[in-house]
Every structure is written in C-alpha cells, then in structure tokens.
Amino acid sequence: MQGVGFRPFVYRLADELRLTGWVCNSTQGVTIELEGPADRLDEFLIRLKNEKPRLSMISALDYSFQTPVGYTDFKVIDSLPAGDKSALVLPDIAICQDCLQEIFNPDNRRYRYPFTNCTNCGPRYSIIESLPYDRGNTTMKIFRMCDKCLMEYEDPRNRRFHAQPNACPECGPHLELWDRLGKTQAMYNDALLMACQAIKQGQILAVKGLGGFHLVVDATNGQAIERLRQLKTRPEKPLALMYPDIAVIKKDCEVKSIEEELLCSPESPIVLLKLKSNSISSQVAPDNPYLGIMLPYTPLHHLLIAELKSPIVATSGNLADEPICIDENEALARLNNIADIFLVHNRPITRHVDDSIVRVMMGQMTIMRRARGYAPLPISLKQSVPSILAVGAHQKNSIAIAKGSQVFISQHIGDLDNRLAFETFTKTIKSLAGIYDFSPENIICDKHPDYTSSKYARDTMLEREEVQHHYAHVISCMAENELDGPVLGVAWDGTGYGDDGTIWGGEFLKVDKNSYMRLAHLRPFPLPGGEKAIEEPWRIAIGLLYELFGRKLFGDPEYRGFIPSDKKINDLMRKMLEHNINSPITSSAGRLFDAVASMVGLCQTITFEGQAAMKLEFAALKVKTDETYEFVIDHISNSYILNWEPMILSVLKDLKTKISANLIAAKFHNTLVEMIVETAKLVGEKNIVLSGGCFQNKYLTERTITRLRQEGFTPFWHHLVPPNDGGICLGQIVACFQESNKE
Ligand code: ZN
Ligand code: ZN
Ligand code: FE
C-alpha cells in the first residue's frame, strides 16, 4: 500500500539493524534489497511484519537470496514506473493526532493551516491521478514545495518523508471565501473566520472539503435547516451532522464503545447513533430516533468547528439526487441557488468521494454507504479471477473491477437517475480502470434490461454477462464472509428483476458453488401503478389487499379506510387491478413493509427511498414484545410460498380494535423473522446469508440473527460492503467468475 509511511519504516528498521541496500515503491508494491548477516536479515523479516505502520497491510511477502553487491548504506530510492499496476491505492484518511496538535499550536509553522498532513494522514484517493503514488501523479503537483517542506519530504526520519500532499502556508493550497458571483470576499484565515460568522448568522455555507462539497448550516437553527431542505429539495431525509467532539456527541446520543471507535477511526465515517436527548433541531432528522454523526476529519473541518463550538449540519453539496460537486466553479454554478456563500480552496479534487455511513448491528459494523475511508480498498477473493468490470445495479450504484484475486470497489456513486449521475458513473469507471491500467475482458450487469448501468454494458460491445439481482446480493455477502456454499441466502429488498420477469424482493435462494435455486419467496401481489406505487405506499396497500379480497375490496365499507375517497382515482385503481394494467406482480419484502406502513397510517407518500419501511422500524422500536402474527408456508410446485394472508388479516383485526401502530409494527417485524426461521428449518441448510436493503433495518436484522442462532443456524450478514444495492457489483463479479468456472 502506498502513502502509509512504509518506506520510512523500512529505512528506520534497516538502519537500526545495520543492514545496507535500498527500498523502493513500484506499481506492484514495495521492493527491498538488503545486505547483512543472516540472523539480522531474519530479524528484519520478523520485525517487518510485527512492527509495520498502523495503516499498512502486507497482503503478500516474497523473498529470495542474491549475490551481494556491496552496498555501503541504506537508501530510499525513487519509484519504479514500469510493471503491472497492482499496488493498493489508499483511501483518504482522517487527520492524525500529531498534525492536529500542530494546527492548534501557535508556535508551529503550520498553526491554523487547513491543508496540514503527513504520511499517517490526509488525502489519498481523492487526489491520486495515476500510480505510482508520487507527488507528480497527484493534484498536488501544481504546488512546489518550499525548502522547509522539501527537507521534511526528503528526510527518512521525518513524519513527512515522502508525504505526497505535504504543504505549508508558504507553499501549499489556501482558502478563499467567495460570494455567489464567485467574487473573493476574504482569503486565508479570514476566509475561515468569515465563513464561521455566516454559519452563526444562519446562512448556508458551501465548503469544499476532501472529496467534494458539503452544505453546512448551524444544527441548532431550525429555520436555517428548513431553508436548506427547501432549496435542496430534500424535505424529510435525515441530514448528516458533524460534532465538535465525542463528549458533545455523548450528551445527545448513546455511544457504545465500538461506535466511539468507529467515530474516532482513521476512516471517520458517519455513524448512525441512537438519540438520547436533543440539543439540535428536530428538523435534522424528523421523527427519527437515530442521528447520522461524524467527527471533523480534515484540518479544515477541525478549524471550522473549533471556532463554532457546536454541531453543524454537513450534508453533501448537491441538489436532490445529483452527485456531489467537487470543483469550485462547478459548485458556483450548481449550488448557486442553495448556498449563500462558498468556502473554497485551490487543491483540486480528482474524483468525488462522499462520506461513508455505517451502523452497528449485533455489536459489529455494517457499512451502509461505502466511500471515504473505505474505497477503493479491495475485497480479497480466495482465487484469481479474470479481468472483469461489474457495473452494479441502478440505485446506490457502485462499480467494481476484478484484478487477480482482488476486487476493487468504487466509492458510492448514487442512483443513476439523471445525466450528472450517469456522467459520474462513466467517469468513475474510467478513473478506477485508469489507476490500475485495467482493460476488462468481460462486463457484468444486472438482468434488469432498463437499468442505466445495463444499457451502458450493452453499449460497450464487450462480452457481456447478466447476473440476477438477488443472486448478486447473496453472493456479495458470501464473498465478504469467505463462504463457498451451500448456503441459504435470504435476499430481501425493494426491487430486483426476477428470472421469471416479475419483480422479486422476498427471495430465498439456495446458493452452491456454481448455481442458485429459488427455493422460497414471499407470496406475490400486484403494484397498481408500478413505479408510481413505490412513491405512494397507499397504492401498495391496495395492491396487497386486492390480492386477498379481489373486487370486494372496492365495494365493502369494511375496507373504506384504505380506499381513496376520490371516486375517479378509486375507479382507476380498480380498473388497473381488475384488468391487470400497469400492475406488475412483486414478491418484494420491501413492498410488504410499505403496504403495512400505509395500512397502520404511518406513511402514505414518501419523499426518499425506504422512508415507509424506516417509519415502520422506528415504530417497532417503541414497544418491546415477542408477540407474532400467524402465517403459513405453502408448498406449491417445489417452491415454498411464505403466505402473509393470516398476518394481514390479523393486522386488520388489530386495527379495528385500536391496537397501536407501534405494537402492530413490532408484531409485523417479529412475524417476518419467524417466517425466515421457519423457511430455514424447511430448507435445512445450516449457513444462512442475509442480504438486500431490508437488512439495513436493525430491528429486523438483529432479531433474525438472534432467532436463527437460537434455532441452531449460523447466520452471516454484511460488514464491508453494503446490504443494499451498493454491494451488487461485488456479487456480480463473483457470480460471473463462478459461472465461467462451471463451463
Ligand atoms: Zn498527520
Ligand atoms: Zn512549504
Ligand atoms: Fe437490491
């Protein structure tokens, strides 16, 4: 891995053991030549592994003996440019303690300098243009180091030895504060202080950070947040927060020790934390018992928040579902109607890198959005695979390339719904492939013919493979858990194109080394209005009830509460369902959540994906019960159908007797868990793999794991790649490789 202070460490070790020779970065990793007595060479090998720098990782170590050359000293020599590019690119890393002390020490020459870094911290992936990781191949190449910086850079004993983004106030990037016209209002420290003033006054600040822009407002100012929400067209989706320090977080939220570790880690992700009391505005995450919180991770963020001394909203600098801005001129154009003022700098960002989001489930990390701090670190496979490019799904898209036994997964790209997102998608493919000199032999996409990513794959003219969505989910989870199968995969999500052309999403797949079989699924029901229904859960509820009651649904006063009072809409819905017009059939678990969320009155329309299911989860958290509803598992032509009919009839009964939505939500969750457990028993496979967007739901996931364990099963779930569609690209690669193995 490059940029983690490995060579200075090798230098110091060789120096200490009085060994001569050299160390050098190459595109494949690190090469070391050493001369000295055998016992000290042995000691070197042992200590190399045991004492390596915190951020470094040795994935393979080969050595051989050669004829002595007669070196007189030990040198760190320049990188060798030639060879196959397989060295790892490091993600962007949060500022280290040493650098942090420097920026707050008035006697240090980097006092209050927002671009301070060293070999243990700072930007990497967001500034790298190509390998090897040398300054000339980063966006820092436009800044010439001053004498003092150069001395640090060339001294193997210095913390900044070969720190590629090394800079100081004299020679490095600087801050500017721009108004909406791009006119400079202030520079350097004044820019920072004025930006803080603007936040305090309730303005919206756009800040150029590490991997893109943030939009920042005071988290205690409800009006400012409301305005940000309106301008960003993001009415309800939770906003991320940045807190001054862990102590302040602990005042507002429950923080378990693993959550604290994650918050303070070099990856420094957004961690979803349970709310305790609330000093911030309820506008941040309306009706949500969790807050997404991160700590400052760059010197710039530290300086900002030290000045403000209170939490800020730090949401991605974009409009609605567009990708984040990375360039100040682009930001000026795209964020002009949102931000009042722009805090920018002149260190170019090569590629967008969003903040990562993680959640702790069963005491372990599950990643929800994989970007800064994690991307583009690879997932290692047990075997080598051919050069494959996987283009992922449609929502929460990320792409992956396979090289040798490594799968490099791109940073989160987002939903491919608009032109800008598609541009970012193609740019990300190009840039990841570019770094690794990668040209794919095959391209893999989802089976869904209308996904933008699938269309892209068809247009490339490369040999193309399609992988079923839920198979990709299960196999991505198997890959990160190093499972070969057989397993029973539970793939529960919102939408995925099924092998029979219907919409799947409540699937049980038995996955073997080279194949999968759909052994069970949720009972399907129609979605009147198709895509429209996903935005309006009340339609989904009607679809579900129509499956049970047919035409009776529309006449019977019993069900009046679920039917729109507008006669025209009412007739339209009835016609669509009766004549099977634009009413696709789905076995989706996510849609079942939506239907129940609507039935109990929690959510009739959504403004962001997964909102209805989230509301149902939060409702369930408000009661503690093990109660379940009845359900049956039908066995029809070699397939188990999880029949929710008795459950939905009971929900209707509960609604009539005024049982609370919270209790119904909890019983619903518990019932789904028992459905999984019963199906697992019927199938009889010991290893159960949980994947798909539904397993972002903590209540569902933790209860499923606990119950499966009680019944003697071994459940596996996601940690390194998201359970949602962000993990699909990994699954596509492994699935395609195993397919080709079979032939
Ligand atoms: Zn540092
Ligand atoms: Zn300098
Ligand atoms: Fe999915």
Side-chain angles (χ1 to χ4, degrees):
M1 214 180 277
Q2 300 185 353
V4 293
F6 195 75
R7 286 175 305 166
F9 154 71
V10 169
Y11 176 92
R12 283 190 297 268
L13 189 58
D15 201 44
E16 196 183 311
L17 295 171
R18 283 166 291 126
L19 296 165
T20 56
W22 52 264
V23 58
C24 166
N25 266 350
S26 73
T27 45
Q28 285 130 312
V30 177
T31 308
I32 307 166
E33 256 189 55
L34 287 171
E35 278 183 19
D39 56 331
R40 273 189 265 144
L41 289 173
D42 285 341
E43 193 180 339
F44 180 90
L45 277 180
I46 293 165
R47 290 182 57 184
L48 185 76
K49 280 190 208 160
N50 293 344
E51 298 170 21
K52 65 182 169 55
R54 186 178 61 132
L55 296 175
S56 68
M57 179 179 93
I58 301 176
S59 50
L61 177 71
D62 294 318
Y63 65 91
S64 62
F65 290 96
Q66 295 182 356
T67 318
V69 180
Y71 295 115
T72 53
D73 58 359
F74 191 86
K75 277 201 183 74
V76 178
I77 58 176
D78 286 341
S79 300
L80 303 169
D84 186 37
K85 294 186 178 173
S86 58
L88 298 189
V89 173
L90 205 71
D92 302 299
I93 295 297
I95 186 171
C96 72
Q97 286 306 314
D98 292 330
C99 288
L100 197 57
Q101 271 171 13
E102 288 180 357
I103 63 165
F104 286 112
N105 174 6
D107 298 329
N108 193 283
R109 70 189 191 93
R110 289 191 173 83
Y111 178 55
R112 298 190 67 80
Y113 184 56
F115 306 96
T116 302
N117 66 83
C118 73
T119 38
N120 300 320
C121 73
R124 298 286 186 277
Y125 186 48
S126 64
I127 59 164
I128 291 176
E129 290 167 341
S130 59
L131 283 179
Y133 178 53
D134 274 334
R135 190 167 174 111
N137 291 332
T138 71
T139 61
M140 282 299 290
K141 66 183 174 221
I142 56 173
F143 300 98
R144 236 186 95 161
M145 272 184 271
C146 67
D147 289 348
K148 280 182 192 158
C149 284
L150 197 63
M151 252 168 63
E152 297 167 337
Y153 184 86
E154 286 176 343
D155 177 4
R157 287 175 186 81
N158 195 290
R159 203 172 93 238
R160 298 202 162 88
F161 175 71
H162 282 224
Q164 307 306 344
N166 189 25
C168 77
E170 224 173 282
C171 66
H174 71 271
L175 288 179
E176 288 185 14
L177 190 73
W178 290 2
D179 65 13
R180 280 178 163 175
L181 300 170
K183 247 186 76 188
T184 308
Q185 300 294 304
M187 288 174 75
Y188 311 109
N189 198 39
D190 287 345
L192 185 110
L193 296 178
M194 273 178 73
C196 290
Q197 276 309 314
I199 297 171
K200 280 182 191 158
Q201 286 161 9
Q203 296 194 337
I204 301 172
L205 174 77
V207 189
K208 183 178 178 186
L210 196 56
F213 272 79
H214 275 141
L215 288 164
V216 170
V217 291
D218 179 354
T220 59
N221 186 336
Q223 256 180 328
I225 298 170
E226 183 59 46
R227 191 169 150 248
L228 174 65
R229 284 196 175 280
Q230 260 168 27
L231 295 172
K232 213 182 135 144
T233 48
R234 182 167 161 144
E236 291 165 303
K237 196 174 174 185
L239 299 163
L241 294 162
M242 190 179 275
Y243 266 60
D245 58 48
I246 192 86
V248 187
I249 299 179
K250 283 181 177 170
K251 273 188 208 149
D252 283 354
C253 296
E254 287 172 21
V255 184
K256 302 230 167 71
S257 66
I258 174 177
E259 289 163 336
E260 180 166 350
E261 254 169 60
L262 288 163
L263 285 162
C264 302
S265 67
E267 291 84 5
S268 187
I270 295 168
V271 183
L272 298 187
L273 298 171
K274 191 89 187 279
L275 199 65
K276 217 156 64 177
S277 68
N278 205 349
S279 71
I280 55 136
S281 164
S282 59
Q283 289 286 341
V284 169
D287 306 318
N288 193 324
Y290 291 91
L291 287 180
I293 297 180
M294 62 187 143
L295 285 170
Y297 52 86
T298 68
L300 175 59
H301 294 126
H302 273 283
L303 291 166
L304 265 176
I305 215 142
E307 208 57 44
L308 291 164
K309 297 184 187 71
S310 76
I312 50 174
V313 167
T315 182
S316 9
N318 57 4
L319 183 69
D321 296 322
E322 291 180 352
I324 51 170
C325 292
I326 57 171
D327 175 84
E328 46 275 24
N329 292 307
E330 178 199 0
L332 212 52
R334 279 174 55 199
L335 305 179
N336 204 277
N337 295 325
I338 307 177
D340 299 304
I341 197 142
F342 297 77
L343 184 62
V344 302
H345 60 73
N346 56 339
R347 185 177 72 199
I349 298 171
T350 311
R351 57 183 65 76
H352 84 284
V353 188
D354 285 89
D355 295 317
S356 293
I357 304 175
V358 305
R359 179 175 214 182
V360 170
M361 297 202 276
M362 298 303 281
Q364 294 175 38
M365 174 188 92
T366 290
I367 202 158
M368 302 285 166
R369 181 162 85 191
R370 190 175 180 278
R372 179 176 51 76
Y374 302 99
L377 286 182
I379 303 286
S380 293
L381 304 179
K382 285 189 197 156
Q383 306 145 285
S384 262
V385 300
S387 297
I388 312 175
L389 165 66
V391 293
H394 186 78
Q395 285 180 317
K396 300 184 167 66
N397 180 273
S398 63
I399 60 108
I401 60 176
K403 208 172 166 170
S405 61
Q406 314 266 45
V407 181
F408 297 94
I409 303 172
S410 79
Q411 69 277 33
H412 163 84
I413 297 170
D415 300 353
L416 302 180
D417 284 328
N418 52 63
R419 182 184 55 84
L420 279 172
F422 181 68
E423 273 171 22
T424 305
F425 165 81
T426 53
K427 240 170 51 193
T428 306
I429 293 174
K430 243 189 232 147
S431 96
L432 197 61
I435 289 182
Y436 288 108
D437 249 353
F438 171 85
S439 51
E441 293 162 23
N442 302 67
I443 189 161
I444 329 288
C445 63
D446 197 276
K447 260 194 179 159
H448 200 304
D450 300 332
Y451 278 2
T452 310
S453 52
S454 305
K455 288 180 192 159
Y456 171 88
R458 281 200 297 273
D459 289 344
T460 58
M461 312 297 279
L462 286 167
E463 194 173 323
R464 186 170 49 92
E465 293 263 358
E466 292 171 353
V467 176
Q468 201 280 322
H469 189 91
H470 301 96
Y471 179 42
H473 267 309
V474 174
I475 212 158
S476 74
C477 190
M478 288 170 71
E480 71 155 294
N481 284 292
E482 295 181 24
L483 292 171
D484 286 328
V487 305
L488 176 65
V490 186
W492 279 17
D493 65 0
T495 304
Y497 192 82
D499 285 330
D500 57 4
T502 69
I503 305 169
W504 289 6
E507 313 311 309
F508 293 77
L509 308 178
K510 184 179 168 182
V511 179
D512 235 315
K513 224 174 163 41
N514 304 315
S515 65
Y516 68 97
M517 244 173 21
R518 187 193 194 203
L519 293 188
H521 58 86
L522 284 166
R523 175 174 166 187
F525 62 95
L527 288 177
E531 284 294 311
K532 188 101 189 110
I534 297 174
E535 283 159 34
E536 298 181 353
W538 62 267
R539 289 171 182 267
I540 304 178
I542 290 179
L544 186 85
L545 295 171
Y546 185 83
E547 170 69 19
L548 290 188
F549 307 118
R551 315 174 65 147
K552 219 177 93 191
L553 176 68
F554 291 93
D556 198 327
E558 176 94 17
Y559 311 117
R560 207 166 32 209
F562 304 108
I563 304 298
S565 46
D566 187 319
K567 191 174 174 312
K568 244 162 90 189
I569 302 178
N570 201 342
D571 285 346
L572 190 72
M573 295 291 285
R574 189 168 46 81
K575 263 189 213 138
M576 276 204 288
L577 286 162
E578 280 177 9
H579 302 289
N580 206 2
I581 305 162
N582 192 21
S583 298
I585 296 295
T586 187
S587 56
S588 159
R591 296 293 93 87
L592 191 58
F593 270 89
D594 292 344
V596 174
S598 163
M599 284 172 64
V600 301
L602 282 172
C603 188
Q604 307 307 343
T605 57
I606 60 164
T607 61
F608 63 91
E609 199 244 336
Q611 187 178 13
M614 255 172 66
K615 285 194 173 172
L616 206 59
E617 178 189 357
F618 300 156
L621 292 175
K622 289 183 187 151
V623 285
K624 246 191 134 77
T625 180
D626 290 324
E627 270 184 80
T628 58
Y629 291 118
E630 297 266 297
F631 64 91
V632 282
I633 297 183
D634 303 323
H635 196 208
I636 302 168
S637 55
N638 280 330
S639 211
Y640 296 110
I641 315 287
L642 284 65
N643 192 346
W644 35 258
E645 179 166 345
M647 172 175 74
I648 296 299
L649 292 176
S650 305
V651 169
L652 289 171
K653 219 182 273 164
D654 275 0
L655 281 171
K656 239 189 186 163
T657 51
K658 301 271 182 280
I659 301 283
S660 78
N662 297 342
L663 184 56
I664 296 176
K667 284 162 81 177
F668 168 75
H669 275 79
N670 298 348
T671 310
L672 291 188
V673 171
E674 294 314 311
M675 282 181 168
I676 293 175
V677 172
E678 278 312 305
T679 310
K681 284 184 191 165
L682 286 170
V683 172
E685 214 49 78
K686 189 172 188 300
N687 291 343
I688 315 290
V689 168
L690 309 174
S691 188
C694 290
F695 294 105
Q696 297 175 100
N697 179 323
K698 189 174 155 98
Y699 186 111
L700 179 77
T701 309
E702 292 192 330
R703 197 178 169 97
T704 304
I705 293 165
T706 307
R707 285 287 298 121
L708 282 170
R709 281 181 177 161
Q710 281 171 359
E711 300 292 335
F713 295 99
T714 313
F716 295 88
W717 64 103
H718 282 282
H719 307 289
L720 305 175
V721 296
N724 59 50
D725 286 2
I728 287 286
C729 59
L730 172 65
Q732 288 175 338
I733 283 188
V734 184
C736 164
F737 167 64
Q738 301 202 329
E739 272 299 296
S740 65
N741 236 14
K742 192 168 59 176
E743 282 155 16

